[in-house]
Amino acid sequence: MKGCCKYYGKKEEELLRKGKGKRERQAAIYVSKIMSNAKNTEIGRYFGIQGSTVSEALKRVETRIKREGKFRKEIEVLKKQFVIE
């Protein structure tokens, strides 16, 4: 999470705040899921959403990764920062 905050220049509270269309929040959820062994319910609890909502966010991000090269690069950078944390 620290890597996402640093990359986007946001406070943790901002990434945890609910809201539609928050690119940074969706990226944080996605990276948290793929870089950990946590279940969707655990990720959801951290972000204040249900496990099924985590699944939906993951699908949206995966679609966006396929469509947007810039977003794909963001995710790669975030994954590397997650390893450093």
Side-chain angles (χ1 to χ4, degrees):
M1 182 59 114
K2 291 178 185 175
C4 291
C5 293
K6 184 177 177 182
Y7 183 83
Y8 289 116
K10 304 276 184 180
K11 295 181 181 179
E12 187 172 346
E13 300 82 42
E14 293 176 281
L15 293 181
L16 294 176
R17 191 176 310 134
K18 293 181 185 179
K20 290 189 176 186
K22 292 197 173 200
R23 172 190 190 109
E24 299 91 350
R25 178 178 163 86
Q26 289 181 351
I29 292 169
Y30 181 80
V31 173
S32 296
K33 175 62 180 175
I34 63 169
M35 298 302 291
S36 71
N37 290 325
K39 295 180 181 180
N40 287 0
T41 53
E42 294 172 292
I43 301 281
R45 207 172 304 124
Y46 185 75
F47 283 92
I49 56 178
Q50 294 182 349
S52 59
T53 307
V54 172
S55 296
E56 293 168 13
L58 297 175
K59 290 176 188 175
R60 281 192 298 273
V61 170
E62 288 169 355
T63 299
R64 195 171 196 171
I65 287 170
K66 291 176 187 174
R67 291 183 184 164
E68 299 177 31
K70 181 181 175 186
F71 191 63
R72 184 177 329 127
K73 289 177 185 174
E74 281 181 34
I75 296 296
E76 291 304 317
V77 169
L78 291 171
K79 286 176 11 183
K80 288 176 186 172
Q81 288 185 0
F82 192 96
V83 173
I84 294 169
E85 286 180 7

